[in-house]
């Protein structure tokens, strides 16, 4: 099998591979760049605020948002080089996502000897709505997907590498796999929930296939793993874990149907796997009808290698574990951002299944038409089948996710967050006067203490108030900012009204809670001081101008 894999890799058309890479990178950029002009949304505003000032501010600001610091230190350097605008900043994630798609093309093509399979794998990540959403967001998730591709490529190279008595190549690829898993963990610790499953699966397959040989490189792998765990233990992760109940606001699974909607299982899993299995059964039926006309040596050489299902199996298992952990109320982690490492693994297996489908389809044609003197299909037939396979699978994916309907309607598909912080702040800047105050209701989960009486809230540090005000402290800055909450306790409402600087004050209320909730909050203000409200900016966040009068008692 190892000789077969090396032959397949050597037989890959380099020009076709590079063309496939260009196509996939172009698709990645075309599907991501149009979404990069949108205003930063809340999570991205946190990233922008973390890197807005000095390098020494990065670590504490990242920790305040329950994030590890590795990604943000690199982002600080990136922002210093390219600037702090939406497009330049998001370009870091766009490029990482495009590189992940390109590596899928090359990795799957080299392992299967099928460029069209690599094109399908990379294309699926390039056009998947979740791949686009996280691939152009100013967060660490695009880099998690990139490191996931590198980890699974290292694992698959190790598993196909036959051991030799005096070779340590397998150990080097094990080390590479573990290294990229650890890098992903340092960037976003929850990626371990998916990527760590690669290790036991790979060890079991290597043992079963006689490819497990221990070398000195494995000692280095152990050191890397221990160092990574120690770094995570010394990071902000333990403090974030103590506050994990706050994540229920967005990470709690409530229905088993949510598991079905986690990914687009049909185009990325069921169709490729079903096609591979169906064609695998078909070739055996054809062989039976031919009464053994297929050469036995060739049959053994072309035996289907099903280890390509391992990445997809790990992705499905990891996604299910995240769902169960949340649904059973162990820890609320049911959000794609936590298990996004599964997406490129699913794409890898989709490519592997396409390779099986294509190779089995060509084997059926052998002996019927368009074959050469060696009994193999002609190059034109192989290319035609490859193009047909790419069009079939990627076309079905585009149809299933509704992209073709969007294009037919004359619109380009974009992944928008719908938070217009830039325009909202510009609207306030155009009218704010001296002595005016800005109230910010950002719906941050860390501001949940506002729902309790002041006497029960405990002492809130200046650093925490500074963190809660970050949406209006970064690229879209307003000053002075007071943090409020649409659902805050009555004692906090009284506190905020009584601490207005003047008896008659104008306040600009910037609220992410939505207009109905914000209006109910304004009605509560009337209990303590007369106030008139005018909406000056619709949408999310909504902006109200509040003119407070003097209470007459």
């Amino acid at each position: 099998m190892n000789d077969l894999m090396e032959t397949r890799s050597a037989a890959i058309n380099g020009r076709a591979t590079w063309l496939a890479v260009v196509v996939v990178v172009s698709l990645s950029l075309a599907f991501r760049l149009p979404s990069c002009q949108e205003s930063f949304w809340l999570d991205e505003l946190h990233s922008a605020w973390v890197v807005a000032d000095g390098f020494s501010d990065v670590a504490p600001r990242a920790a305040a948002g329950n994030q590890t610091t590795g990604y943000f230190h690199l982002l600080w350097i990136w922002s210093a080089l390219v600037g702090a605008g939406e497009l330049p900043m998001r370009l870091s994630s766009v490029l990482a996502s495009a590189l992940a798609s390109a590596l899928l093309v090359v990795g799957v093509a080299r392992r299967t000897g099928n460029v069209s399979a690599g094109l399908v794998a990379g294309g699926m990540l390039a056009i998947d709505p979740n791949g686009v959403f996280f691939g152009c967001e100013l967060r660490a998730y695009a880099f998690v997907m990139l490191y996931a591709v590198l980890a699974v490529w290292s694992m698959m190279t190790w598993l196909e590498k036959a051991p030799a008595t005096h070779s340590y190549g397998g150990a080097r690829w094990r080390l590479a796999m573990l290294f990229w898993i650890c890098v992903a963990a340092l960037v976003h610790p929850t990626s371990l929930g998916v990527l760590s499953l690669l290790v036991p699966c790979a060890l079991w397959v290597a043992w079963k296939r006689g490819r497990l040989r221990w070398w000195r490189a494995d000692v280095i792998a152990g050191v890397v793993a221990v160092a990574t765990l120690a770094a995570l233990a010394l990071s902000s992760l333990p403090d974030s874990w103590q506050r994990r109940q706050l994540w229920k606001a967005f990470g709690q699974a409530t229905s088993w149907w949510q598991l079905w909607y986690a990914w687009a299982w049909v185009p990325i899993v069921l169709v490729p796997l079903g096609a591979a299995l169906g064609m695998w059964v078909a070739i055996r039926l054809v062989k039976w009808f031919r009464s053994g006309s297929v050469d036995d040596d060739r049959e053994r050489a072309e035996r289907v290698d099903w280890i390509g299902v391992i990445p997809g199996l790990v992705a499905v298992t990891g996604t299910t574990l995240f769902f169960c952990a949340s649904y059973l109320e162990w820890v609320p982690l049911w959000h794609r951002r936590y298990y996004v490492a599964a997406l490129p693994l699913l794409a890898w297996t989709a490519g592997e299944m396409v390779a099986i489908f294509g190779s089995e389809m060509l084997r059926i044609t052998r002996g019927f038409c368009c074959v050469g003197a060696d009994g193999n299909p002609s190059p034109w037939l192989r290319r035609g089948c490859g193009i047909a396979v790419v069009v079939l699978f990627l076309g079905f994916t585009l149809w299933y996710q509704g992209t073709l309907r969007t294009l037919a309607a004359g619109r380009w598909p974009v992944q928008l967050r719908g938070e217009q912080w830039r325009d909202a702040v510009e609207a306030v800047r155009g009218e704010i006067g001296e002595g005016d105050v800005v109230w910010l209701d950002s719906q941050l989960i860390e501001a949940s203490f506002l729902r309790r009486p002041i006497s029960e809230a405990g002492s809130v540090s200046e650093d925490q108030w500074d963190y809660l005000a970050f949406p209006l402290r970064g690229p879209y800055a307003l000053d002075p900012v007071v943090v409020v909450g649409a659902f805050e306790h009555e004692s906090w409402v009284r506190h905020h009204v009584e601490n207005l600087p003047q008896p008659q004050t104008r306040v600009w209320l910037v609220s992410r809670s939505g207009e109905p909730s914000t209006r109910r909050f304004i009605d509560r203000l009337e209990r303590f001081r007369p106030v008139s409200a005018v909406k000056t900016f619709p949408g999310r966040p909504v902006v109200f101008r509040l003119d407070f009068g003097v209470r007459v008692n």
Side-chain angles (χ1 to χ4, degrees):
M1 180 63 70
N2 184 59
D3 294 338
L4 176 61
M5 287 299 175
E6 290 180 355
T7 301
R8 287 178 176 176
S9 297
I12 295 176
N13 187 315
R15 182 177 298 176
T17 303
W18 279 109
L19 178 60
V21 168
V22 170
V23 169
V24 164
V25 170
S26 299
L27 281 174
S28 297
L29 298 178
F31 273 79
R32 286 158 178 75
L33 289 177
S35 302
C36 290
Q37 299 291 348
E38 185 191 21
S39 167
F40 289 134
W41 78 291
L42 188 68
D43 282 8
E44 293 179 303
L45 285 171
H46 175 255
S47 298
W49 171 70
V50 168
V51 302
D53 294 314
F55 191 79
S56 60
D57 295 319
V58 171
R61 289 184 177 184
N66 300 311
Q67 302 291 318
T68 50
T69 61
Y71 162 74
F72 292 99
H73 282 125
L74 294 176
L75 184 61
W76 186 92
I77 297 172
W78 175 266
S79 65
L81 294 174
V82 304
E86 290 96 344
L87 177 59
M89 292 279 277
R90 286 182 174 132
L91 195 59
S92 59
S93 294
V94 170
L95 294 178
S97 178
L99 180 57
S101 298
L103 290 176
L104 276 173
V105 174
V106 180
V108 173
R110 284 182 60 84
R111 212 201 80 80
T112 63
N114 189 324
V115 177
S116 61
L119 181 55
V120 169
M124 282 191 170
L125 182 61
I127 66 178
D128 183 87
N130 291 298
V132 175
F133 185 94
F134 293 110
C136 62
E137 187 172 65
L138 191 62
R139 300 295 271 181
Y141 312 122
F143 291 88
V144 169
M145 291 189 285
L146 172 61
Y147 303 143
V149 173
L150 291 168
V152 74
W153 190 353
S154 301
M155 181 194 74
M156 299 302 289
T157 305
W158 164 35
L159 293 180
E160 72 186 27
K161 192 174 184 65
T165 305
H166 302 291
S167 172
Y168 55 90
R172 287 189 296 179
W173 286 110
R174 282 199 299 276
L175 174 59
M177 175 188 69
L178 188 66
F179 172 79
W180 292 116
I181 292 173
C182 290
V183 171
L186 293 173
V187 167
H188 208 275
T190 60
S191 62
L192 282 175
V194 174
L195 296 182
S196 65
L197 299 177
L198 292 174
V199 177
C201 289
L203 289 173
W204 183 80
V205 172
W207 174 69
K208 293 291 289 185
R209 295 194 167 201
R211 286 171 167 77
L212 187 57
R213 297 291 188 272
W214 301 106
W215 296 89
R216 284 171 292 182
D218 293 302
V219 177
I220 301 176
V223 172
V224 170
V226 171
T228 300
L229 293 176
L232 292 176
L234 295 174
S235 70
S236 61
L237 182 60
D239 291 335
S240 300
W241 183 255
Q242 294 298 322
R243 299 195 293 260
R244 62 187 181 278
Q245 293 305 314
L246 293 175
W247 307 339
K248 283 187 176 182
F250 56 86
Q252 187 67 53
T254 57
S255 169
W256 284 97
W257 276 109
Q258 292 174 284
L259 185 59
W260 173 251
Y261 294 108
W263 304 116
W265 298 111
V266 172
I268 204 169
V269 175
L270 298 181
V271 169
L273 182 59
L277 287 171
M279 197 60 65
W280 182 73
V281 172
I283 192 65
R284 272 142 190 81
L285 292 175
V286 170
K287 178 186 175 184
W288 182 72
F289 281 116
R290 289 180 180 177
S291 301
S293 62
V294 178
D295 184 74
D296 290 337
D297 292 335
R298 177 179 291 164
E299 180 71 21
R300 284 193 295 270
E302 295 179 349
R303 187 176 301 164
V304 173
D305 183 7
W306 290 98
I307 66 169
V309 303
I310 293 176
L313 181 62
V314 166
V316 172
T317 304
T319 302
T320 304
L321 287 176
F322 273 90
F323 174 83
C324 291
S326 178
Y327 186 79
L328 300 176
E329 298 188 359
W330 296 336
V331 57
L333 289 175
W334 187 241
H335 196 288
R336 292 184 188 92
R337 71 181 73 172
Y338 297 129
Y339 51 89
V340 71
L343 185 56
L345 272 60
L346 292 171
W348 183 290
T349 289
E352 294 263 358
M353 296 303 99
V354 166
I356 293 174
F357 171 79
S359 63
E360 297 295 274
M361 184 172 61
L362 287 173
R363 288 175 64 191
I364 289 180
T365 65
R366 186 183 293 134
F368 287 102
C369 62
C370 300
V371 295
D374 59 354
N376 290 319
S378 69
W380 287 107
L381 178 61
R382 289 198 299 269
R383 291 169 189 157
C385 288
I387 294 173
V389 164
V390 171
V391 173
L392 173 66
F393 283 94
L394 293 186
F396 176 79
T397 301
L398 290 171
W399 171 81
Y400 183 86
Q401 66 193 28
T403 303
L404 292 182
R405 290 191 295 274
T406 302
L407 293 173
R411 303 191 309 273
W412 189 255
V414 291
Q415 295 294 322
L416 301 178
R417 280 73 176 171
E419 296 190 11
Q420 302 168 299
W421 289 91
R422 177 183 57 211
D423 295 338
V425 169
E426 288 178 356
V428 174
R429 284 177 179 167
E431 298 186 49
I432 194 170
E434 185 177 354
D436 291 359
V437 176
V438 177
W439 281 0
L440 170 64
D441 169 28
S442 61
Q443 274 195 323
L444 283 167
I445 58 175
E446 291 85 358
S448 58
F449 66 86
L450 291 171
R451 302 191 181 196
R452 303 191 302 271
I454 292 180
S455 58
E456 298 179 9
S459 60
V460 182
S461 66
E462 288 297 324
D463 289 340
Q464 187 172 355
W465 286 117
D466 188 51
Y467 165 74
L468 295 175
F470 75 74
L472 299 181
R473 293 281 176 86
Y476 316 131
L478 289 173
D479 193 65
V481 176
V482 176
V483 176
V484 300
F487 306 99
E488 66 185 22
H489 189 267
E490 201 78 356
S491 58
W492 282 106
V493 177
R494 178 188 296 273
H495 172 78
H496 290 133
V497 172
E498 291 180 349
N499 279 273
L500 291 174
Q502 301 173 9
Q504 291 180 295
T505 305
R506 175 174 292 176
V507 173
W508 299 89
L509 174 59
V510 182
S511 176
R512 189 168 169 263
S513 294
E515 184 174 342
S517 298
T518 304
R519 286 192 179 276
R520 287 193 293 269
F521 173 70
I522 295 172
D523 292 339
R524 295 170 64 198
L525 298 173
E526 284 275 6
R527 303 174 189 175
F528 304 98
R529 184 176 296 183
V531 59
S532 62
V534 177
K535 182 172 66 175
T536 61
F537 185 82
R540 194 179 194 198
V542 64
V543 178
F544 281 88
R545 187 187 70 231
L546 308 179
D547 292 294
F548 283 89
V550 179
R551 173 176 287 279
V552 179
N553 291 323

